[in-house]
Amino acid sequence: TKMKALMLLVVLSFVCACGFTDPPSRSLETVHDEFHSSHTKTGSHFPMGHRPRAMVYTVNIKNSFPHDTKAFTQGLAFDEGKLYEGTGLFKHSQVRVLDLSRNVVLESSSLKRSIFGEGLTVWGDTVIQLTWESGFGRVCNKRNLTECDEYNYPPDAFVQGWGITHDSESLIVSDGSSWLYFLDGQFNLKHKIRVRDETGSPVNDLNELEYINGEVWANMLGSNCIVRILPETGGVVSWIYADSLVNRANQKSPLNVLNGIAYDGLSDRLVMGGKRWPEFFEVSLVPKNIKQLPSHDQIREHCRAHQLSVDEMVAALDDEEAYSLI
């Protein structure tokens, strides 16, 4: 009896030790890494029902920094701890170098009054800024912002420039469609790839871009959402709901939307902003519970809830005095 009970306890202990208990829980970041690995190995096109599920994150505000409410933010990029900002609007487009901690504009350079500035990135010793409808990109010496060359957009690619970033080998450009264009330093097209979600549907309205740890992060024009993309395949690995930033900015103009992503690899900080917002935000990402991830349709509905079309935004620009060339 006592001996039998003791034997039973020994057997149960052996069974548990051999792994027949529930496996230890995994962090959501570990699960996301597995999704990322699956996308990378399998590619961007999956049989229906076999595509890895995209993660969804929300945004937590860690810190804030004052921002010029006249600056129509089109692109952000960190370099050597300084934040470079490209701004838009006719007559008001600039490249600015900012010290966030001191709220100081270290340097600035204005574009011609007839040019509408767009996305920006820092590549080597140059600052590269796109233009909206002028058909060229500006490549400037980052030490003075005034020694600039202009390169026409490749005729077999895009007409309008929107967002720009780079990996170790190529410039990566968006034009408001679902395509990403990979260029060399003279704006020659190397290749392009279409961005698709987990159902295989194209993801349109790709705007400001940032390359972060092997992914391209893209604002969706006029939306509260950011999409994270594998540049090798165009597959979407996750979505970011930035509603907390939009609510904090509390903007009335339909033009003053979420726009601007910058990652500082030196200090491992992520900064986001918006057009003419009073603040930049240092943020961290909070993953949604893996068991409560929204469906594809719910993600689409959320991201489109407050989104204006390109035509609606251009009409709003027409209503602003800053858009007039008079």
Side-chain angles (χ1 to χ4, degrees):
T1 52
K2 287 186 177 180
M3 182 62 68
K4 288 181 179 179
L6 181 59
M7 291 287 291
L8 180 61
L9 286 173
V10 170
V11 171
L12 288 174
S13 298
F14 177 78
V15 169
C16 292
C18 288
F20 289 94
T21 55
D22 290 336
S25 61
R26 297 170 298 162
S27 71
L28 293 179
E29 289 295 339
T30 300
V31 174
H32 175 260
D33 287 343
E34 291 176 359
F35 290 160
H36 192 288
S37 175
S38 178
H39 275 278
T40 303
K41 293 175 182 177
T42 315
S44 62
H45 303 292
F46 297 85
M48 187 61 67
H50 296 278
R51 190 181 181 89
R53 187 77 175 273
M55 282 293 293
V56 177
Y57 296 84
T58 57
V59 171
N60 175 61
I61 298 174
K62 298 173 63 176
N63 201 357
S64 62
F65 308 92
H67 178 238
D68 181 359
T69 54
K70 294 181 180 179
F72 197 76
T73 304
Q74 300 288 73
L76 299 175
F78 273 110
D79 184 70
E80 299 177 345
K82 296 176 288 189
L83 183 65
Y84 288 72
E85 179 182 21
T87 70
L89 296 176
F90 291 118
K91 302 191 292 186
H92 298 279
S93 295
Q94 288 186 321
V95 176
R96 299 142 54 92
V97 186
L98 312 174
D99 183 328
L100 285 184
S101 60
R102 295 190 295 145
N103 187 27
V104 173
V105 178
L106 301 174
E107 202 166 354
S108 67
S109 176
S110 296
L111 280 66
K112 295 178 182 178
R113 293 164 62 85
S114 60
I115 295 176
F116 195 116
E118 282 286 347
L120 166 147
T121 193
V122 181
W123 198 17
D125 292 327
T126 63
V127 179
I128 303 175
Q129 186 180 26
L130 301 179
T131 61
W132 179 26
E133 296 179 313
S134 297
F136 63 84
R138 301 173 71 249
V139 181
C140 302
N141 186 327
K142 75 176 182 181
R143 301 302 175 191
N144 54 35
L145 304 181
T146 56
E147 299 173 18
C148 302
D149 294 318
E150 297 178 356
Y151 293 95
N152 292 330
Y153 295 154
D156 51 346
F158 51 93
V159 176
Q160 296 181 354
W162 284 39
I164 185 170
T165 187
H166 67 86
D167 59 17
S168 61
E169 298 179 351
S170 304
L171 297 172
I172 306 172
V173 171
S174 69
D175 66 346
S177 68
S178 58
W179 292 93
L180 293 178
Y181 304 88
F182 294 75
L183 314 178
D184 64 20
Q186 286 74 47
F187 278 67
N188 298 305
L189 180 66
K190 299 170 71 174
H191 68 278
K192 64 181 181 179
I193 195 163
R194 197 165 202 181
V195 176
R196 299 180 184 273
D197 64 21
E198 59 189 288
T199 70
S201 300
V203 178
N204 296 308
D205 305 316
L206 301 178
N207 194 16
E208 215 272 303
L209 306 177
E210 181 78 350
Y211 187 84
I212 303 176
N213 296 331
E215 299 176 354
V216 175
W217 294 27
N219 284 114
M220 297 175 64
L221 177 70
S223 169
N224 295 358
C225 292
I226 294 168
V227 61
R228 294 168 59 174
I229 306 157
L230 287 179
E232 300 89 352
T233 66
V236 172
V237 290
S238 61
W239 301 80
I240 301 170
Y241 291 174
D243 301 70
S244 59
L245 305 187
V246 176
N247 293 337
R248 169 82 170 255
N250 192 28
Q251 296 295 293
K252 292 181 172 56
S253 169
L255 296 175
N256 295 357
V257 296
L258 175 76
N259 201 50
I261 309 164
Y263 176 67
D264 185 0
L266 294 177
S267 59
D268 190 31
R269 61 175 172 170
L270 177 63
V271 169
M272 297 180 180
K275 301 175 188 290
R276 297 186 294 207
W277 282 13
E279 295 173 298
F280 285 125
F281 300 103
E282 181 182 352
V283 304
S284 59
L285 302 186
V286 181
K288 282 187 171 290
N289 190 316
I290 191 71
K291 297 180 179 179
Q292 299 175 348
L293 287 178
S295 68
H296 163 74
D297 289 340
Q298 289 172 326
I299 292 173
R300 285 283 185 161
E301 182 178 354
H302 182 94
C303 292
R304 291 173 176 169
H306 306 288
Q307 187 176 20
L308 294 180
S309 69
V310 175
D311 289 342
E312 288 173 322
M313 294 199 72
V314 170
L317 278 171
D318 280 331
D319 291 337
E320 286 205 6
E321 182 181 1
Y323 185 71
S324 173
L325 293 179
I326 299 175

